[in-house]
Coordinates of all heavy atoms in Angstrom, one line a residue:
G211 N -30.2 -15.4 19.4 CA -28.9 -15.8 18.8 C -27.7 -14.8 19.1 O -26.8 -14.8 18.4
Y212 N -27.8 -14.2 20.3 CA -26.7 -13.3 20.7 C -25.5 -14.2 20.9 O -25.6 -15.3 21.4 CB -27.1 -12.5 21.9 CG -27.8 -11.3 21.6 CD1 -29.2 -11.1 21.9 CD2 -27.2 -10.2 21.0 CE1 -29.9 -10.0 21.7 CE2 -27.9 -9.0 20.7 CZ -29.2 -8.9 21.1 OH -29.9 -7.8 20.8
Q213 N -24.3 -13.6 20.7 CA -23.0 -14.4 20.8 C -22.2 -13.9 22.1 O -21.0 -14.2 22.2 CB -22.2 -14.2 19.6 CG -22.8 -14.8 18.3 CD -23.1 -16.2 18.5 OE1 -22.2 -17.0 18.7 NE2 -24.4 -16.7 18.4
G214 N -22.9 -13.3 23.0 CA -22.2 -12.9 24.2 C -23.0 -11.8 24.9 O -24.1 -11.3 24.4
L215 N -22.5 -11.3 26.0 CA -23.2 -10.3 26.8 C -22.3 -9.2 27.2 O -21.2 -9.5 27.7 CB -23.8 -10.9 28.1 CG -24.5 -10.0 29.1 CD1 -25.8 -9.4 28.5 CD2 -24.8 -10.8 30.4
D216 N -22.7 -7.9 27.1 CA -21.9 -6.8 27.5 C -22.7 -6.1 28.6 O -23.9 -5.6 28.4 CB -21.7 -5.8 26.3 CG -21.1 -4.5 26.7 OD1 -20.5 -4.4 27.9 OD2 -21.1 -3.6 25.9
V217 N -22.2 -6.1 29.8 CA -22.9 -5.5 31.0 C -22.3 -4.1 31.3 O -21.1 -4.0 31.5 CB -22.8 -6.4 32.2 CG1 -23.6 -5.8 33.4 CG2 -23.3 -7.8 31.9
D218 N -23.2 -3.1 31.3 CA -22.8 -1.8 31.5 C -23.6 -1.1 32.6 O -24.6 -0.4 32.3 CB -22.9 -1.0 30.2 CG -22.4 0.4 30.3 OD1 -21.9 0.8 31.3 OD2 -22.7 1.2 29.3
F219 N -23.3 -1.4 33.9 CA -23.9 -0.7 35.0 C -23.1 0.5 35.4 O -22.0 0.3 35.9 CB -24.1 -1.7 36.2 CG -25.2 -2.7 36.1 CD1 -25.8 -2.9 34.9 CD2 -25.7 -3.3 37.2 CE1 -26.9 -3.8 34.8 CE2 -26.8 -4.2 37.1 CZ -27.4 -4.4 35.9
E220 N -23.6 1.7 35.2 CA -22.9 2.9 35.6 C -23.6 3.6 36.8 O -24.8 3.3 37.0 CB -22.7 3.8 34.4 CG -22.0 3.2 33.3 CD -21.8 4.1 32.1 OE1 -21.6 5.3 32.3 OE2 -22.0 3.6 30.9
Y221 N -22.9 4.4 37.5 CA -23.5 5.2 38.6 C -24.1 4.4 39.6 O -25.3 4.5 40.0 CB -24.6 6.2 38.0 CG -24.0 7.1 36.9 CD1 -24.4 6.8 35.6 CD2 -23.1 8.1 37.2 CE1 -23.9 7.7 34.5 CE2 -22.6 8.9 36.2 CZ -23.0 8.7 34.9 OH -22.5 9.4 33.8
I222 N -23.4 3.4 40.1 CA -23.8 2.5 41.2 C -22.9 2.8 42.4 O -21.7 3.0 42.3 CB -23.9 1.0 40.8 CG1 -22.5 0.6 40.3 CG2 -25.0 0.8 39.8 CD1 -22.5 -0.9 39.9
P223 N -23.5 2.8 43.6 CA -22.8 3.1 44.8 C -21.5 2.2 45.0 O -21.6 1.0 44.7 CB -23.8 2.9 46.0 CG -25.1 3.0 45.3 CD -24.9 2.5 43.9
G224 N -20.5 2.8 45.6 CA -19.3 2.0 45.8 C -19.5 0.8 46.8 O -18.7 -0.2 46.7
A225 N -20.4 0.9 47.7 CA -20.7 -0.2 48.6 C -21.1 -1.4 47.9 O -21.1 -2.5 48.5 CB -21.8 0.3 49.6
L226 N -21.5 -1.3 46.6 CA -22.0 -2.5 45.8 C -21.0 -3.1 45.0 O -21.3 -3.9 44.1 CB -23.2 -2.1 45.0 CG -24.5 -1.6 45.8 CD1 -25.6 -1.2 44.8 CD2 -25.0 -2.8 46.7
R227 N -19.7 -2.7 45.1 CA -18.7 -3.2 44.2 C -18.6 -4.7 44.3 O -18.4 -5.4 43.2 CB -17.3 -2.6 44.6 CG -16.8 -2.9 46.0 CD -15.3 -2.5 46.1 NE -15.0 -1.1 45.7 CZ -15.1 -0.1 46.5 NH1 -15.4 -0.3 47.8 NH2 -14.8 1.1 46.1
E228 N -18.6 -5.3 45.5 CA -18.5 -6.8 45.5 C -19.8 -7.4 45.0 O -19.7 -8.5 44.4 CB -18.3 -7.2 47.0 CG -16.9 -6.8 47.5 CD -16.6 -7.3 48.9 OE1 -17.5 -8.0 49.4 OE2 -15.5 -7.0 49.4
A229 N -20.9 -6.8 45.3 CA -22.2 -7.4 44.7 C -22.2 -7.3 43.2 O -22.7 -8.3 42.6 CB -23.4 -6.7 45.3
Y230 N -21.7 -6.3 42.7 CA -21.7 -6.1 41.2 C -20.7 -7.2 40.6 O -21.1 -7.9 39.6 CB -21.2 -4.7 40.8 CG -21.2 -4.4 39.3 CD1 -22.2 -5.0 38.5 CD2 -20.3 -3.6 38.8 CE1 -22.2 -4.7 37.1 CE2 -20.3 -3.3 37.4 CZ -21.3 -3.9 36.6 OH -21.3 -3.6 35.3
A231 N -19.6 -7.4 41.2 CA -18.7 -8.4 40.7 C -19.3 -9.8 40.8 O -19.1 -10.7 39.9 CB -17.3 -8.4 41.4
A232 N -20.0 -10.1 41.9 CA -20.7 -11.4 42.1 C -21.7 -11.6 41.0 O -21.9 -12.7 40.5 CB -21.3 -11.4 43.5
F233 N -22.4 -10.5 40.6 CA -23.5 -10.7 39.6 C -22.8 -11.0 38.2 O -23.3 -11.8 37.5 CB -24.3 -9.4 39.5 CG -25.4 -9.4 38.5 CD1 -26.3 -10.4 38.5 CD2 -25.5 -8.4 37.5 CE1 -27.3 -10.4 37.5 CE2 -26.5 -8.4 36.6 CZ -27.4 -9.4 36.6
I234 N -21.7 -10.4 38.0 CA -20.9 -10.7 36.7 C -20.5 -12.1 36.7 O -20.6 -12.9 35.7 CB -19.7 -9.7 36.5 CG1 -20.2 -8.3 36.4 CG2 -18.9 -10.1 35.3 CD1 -21.1 -8.0 35.3
R235 N -20.0 -12.6 37.9 CA -19.6 -14.0 38.0 C -20.8 -15.0 37.8 O -20.7 -16.0 37.1 CB -19.0 -14.3 39.4 CG -17.6 -13.8 39.5 CD -16.9 -14.4 40.7 NE -17.6 -14.1 42.0 CZ -17.4 -13.0 42.7 NH1 -16.5 -12.1 42.3 NH2 -18.0 -12.8 43.8
Q236 N -21.9 -14.6 38.3 CA -23.2 -15.4 38.1 C -23.5 -15.5 36.6 O -23.8 -16.6 36.1 CB -24.3 -14.7 38.9 CG -25.6 -15.5 38.8 CD -26.7 -14.8 39.6 OE1 -26.5 -13.7 40.2 NE2 -27.9 -15.5 39.7
L237 N -23.5 -14.4 35.9 CA -23.8 -14.4 34.5 C -22.8 -15.2 33.7 O -23.1 -15.9 32.8 CB -23.8 -12.9 34.0 CG -25.0 -12.0 34.5 CD1 -24.7 -10.6 34.1 CD2 -26.3 -12.5 34.0
R238 N -21.5 -15.0 34.1 CA -20.5 -15.8 33.4 C -20.7 -17.3 33.6 O -20.5 -18.1 32.7 CB -19.1 -15.4 33.9 CG -17.9 -16.0 33.1 CD -16.6 -15.5 33.7 NE -15.5 -16.1 33.0 CZ -14.2 -16.0 33.4 NH1 -14.0 -15.5 34.6 NH2 -13.3 -16.5 32.7
G239 N -21.1 -17.7 34.8 CA -21.4 -19.1 35.1 C -22.5 -19.6 34.2 O -22.5 -20.8 33.9
L240 N -23.5 -18.8 33.9 CA -24.6 -19.2 33.0 C -24.2 -19.3 31.6 O -24.6 -20.2 30.8 CB -25.8 -18.3 33.1 CG -26.6 -18.3 34.4 CD1 -27.7 -17.2 34.4 CD2 -27.2 -19.7 34.6
L241 N -23.3 -18.4 31.1 CA -23.0 -18.3 29.7 C -21.8 -19.1 29.3 O -21.7 -19.5 28.1 CB -22.8 -16.8 29.3 CG -24.0 -15.9 29.4 CD1 -23.7 -14.6 28.7 CD2 -25.3 -16.5 28.9
A242 N -20.9 -19.4 30.2 CA -19.7 -20.2 29.9 C -20.1 -21.5 29.3 O -19.4 -22.0 28.3 CB -18.8 -20.3 31.1
P243 N -21.0 -22.3 29.9 CA -21.4 -23.6 29.3 C -21.9 -23.5 27.9 O -21.9 -24.4 27.1 CB -22.4 -24.1 30.2 CG -22.2 -23.5 31.5 CD -21.7 -22.1 31.2
M244 N -22.4 -22.3 27.5 CA -22.9 -22.0 26.2 C -21.8 -21.6 25.2 O -22.0 -21.4 24.0 CB -24.0 -21.0 26.2 CG -25.2 -21.3 27.1 SD -26.3 -19.9 27.4 CE -26.9 -19.5 25.7
G245 N -20.6 -21.5 25.8 CA -19.4 -21.0 25.0 C -19.4 -19.5 24.6 O -18.8 -19.1 23.7
L246 N -20.1 -18.7 25.5 CA -20.3 -17.3 25.2 C -19.6 -16.5 26.2 O -19.7 -16.8 27.4 CB -21.8 -17.0 25.1 CG -22.6 -17.8 24.1 CD1 -24.1 -17.3 24.1 CD2 -22.0 -17.6 22.7
P247 N -19.0 -15.3 25.8 CA -18.3 -14.5 26.8 C -19.2 -13.5 27.5 O -20.3 -13.1 27.0 CB -17.3 -13.8 25.9 CG -18.0 -13.6 24.6 CD -18.8 -14.9 24.4
V248 N -18.8 -13.1 28.7 CA -19.4 -12.0 29.4 C -18.3 -10.8 29.4 O -17.2 -11.0 29.9 CB -19.8 -12.4 30.8 CG1 -20.2 -11.1 31.6 CG2 -20.9 -13.4 30.8
I249 N -18.8 -9.7 29.0 CA -17.9 -8.5 28.9 C -18.5 -7.5 29.9 O -19.7 -7.3 30.0 CB -17.9 -7.9 27.5 CG1 -17.3 -9.0 26.5 CG2 -17.0 -6.7 27.4 CD1 -17.5 -8.6 25.1
V250 N -17.6 -6.8 30.6 CA -18.1 -5.7 31.5 C -17.5 -4.4 31.1 O -16.3 -4.3 30.8 CB -17.8 -6.1 33.0 CG1 -16.3 -6.2 33.2 CG2 -18.5 -5.1 33.9
A251 N -18.3 -3.3 31.1 CA -17.8 -2.0 30.7 C -17.3 -1.3 32.0 O -18.0 -1.3 33.0 CB -18.9 -1.2 30.0
L252 N -16.1 -0.7 31.9 CA -15.5 0.0 33.1 C -15.3 1.4 32.8 O -14.9 1.9 31.7 CB -14.2 -0.7 33.4 CG -14.2 -2.2 33.8 CD1 -12.7 -2.6 34.1 CD2 -15.1 -2.4 34.9
A253 N -15.6 2.2 33.8 CA -15.4 3.7 33.8 C -13.8 3.9 33.8 O -13.1 3.1 34.3 CB -16.0 4.4 34.9
P254 N -13.4 5.0 33.1 CA -11.9 5.2 33.0 C -11.3 5.8 34.2 O -11.0 7.0 34.3 CB -11.9 6.2 31.8 CG -13.2 7.0 31.9 CD -14.2 6.0 32.4
K255 N -11.0 5.0 35.2 CA -10.3 5.4 36.4 C -8.8 5.6 36.2 O -8.2 4.9 35.4 CB -10.5 4.3 37.5 CG -12.0 4.1 37.9 CD -12.2 2.9 38.8 CE -11.6 3.1 40.1 NZ -12.0 2.0 41.1
T256 N -8.3 6.6 36.9 CA -6.8 6.8 36.9 C -6.1 6.3 38.1 O -4.9 6.1 38.1 CB -6.6 8.3 36.7 OG1 -7.2 9.0 37.8 CG2 -7.1 8.8 35.4
Y257 N -6.9 5.9 39.2 CA -6.3 5.3 40.3 C -7.4 4.5 41.0 O -8.6 4.8 40.9 CB -5.6 6.2 41.3 CG -6.5 7.3 41.8 CD1 -7.0 7.2 43.1 CD2 -6.7 8.5 41.1 CE1 -7.8 8.3 43.6 CE2 -7.5 9.5 41.6 CZ -8.0 9.4 42.9 OH -8.8 10.4 43.4
A258 N -7.0 3.5 41.8 CA -8.0 2.5 42.3 C -9.0 3.1 43.2 O -10.2 2.7 43.2 CB -7.2 1.4 43.1
A259 N -8.7 4.1 44.0 CA -9.6 4.7 45.0 C -10.3 5.9 44.5 O -10.7 6.7 45.3 CB -8.8 5.0 46.3
Q260 N -10.3 6.1 43.2 CA -10.9 7.3 42.6 C -12.4 7.5 43.1 O -13.2 6.6 42.9 CB -10.8 7.3 41.1 CG -11.3 8.5 40.4 CD -10.9 8.5 38.9 OE1 -10.1 7.8 38.5 NE2 -11.6 9.4 38.2
P261 N -12.7 8.6 43.7 CA -14.1 8.8 44.2 C -15.0 9.2 43.1 O -14.7 9.6 42.0 CB -13.9 9.9 45.2 CG -12.8 10.7 44.7 CD -11.8 9.7 44.0
G262 N -16.3 9.0 43.4 CA -17.4 9.3 42.5 C -18.3 8.2 42.2 O -17.9 7.0 42.1
L263 N -19.6 8.5 42.0 CA -20.6 7.4 41.7 C -20.2 6.6 40.5 O -20.6 5.5 40.4 CB -21.9 8.1 41.6 CG -23.2 7.2 41.6 CD1 -23.2 6.4 42.9 CD2 -24.4 8.0 41.4
L264 N -19.6 7.3 39.5 CA -19.3 6.6 38.3 C -18.1 5.5 38.5 O -18.1 4.6 37.7 CB -18.9 7.6 37.2 CG -18.5 7.0 35.8 CD1 -19.7 6.3 35.2 CD2 -18.1 8.1 34.9

Side-chain angles (χ1 to χ4, degrees):
Y212 277 109
Q213 296 300 300
L215 174 67
D216 175 14
V217 184
D218 182 9
F219 279 20
E220 301 179 40
Y221 305 107
I222 52 180
L226 296 177
R227 61 166 56 89
E228 293 186 359
Y230 185 31
F233 182 51
I234 299 300
R235 285 196 299 273
Q236 180 180 7
L237 293 170
R238 189 181 182 193
L240 287 177
L241 297 191
M244 302 167 64
L246 303 179
V248 173
I249 300 169
V250 63
L252 299 180
K255 297 169 69 168
T256 55
Y257 59 97
Q260 186 168 340
L263 190 61
L264 182 62

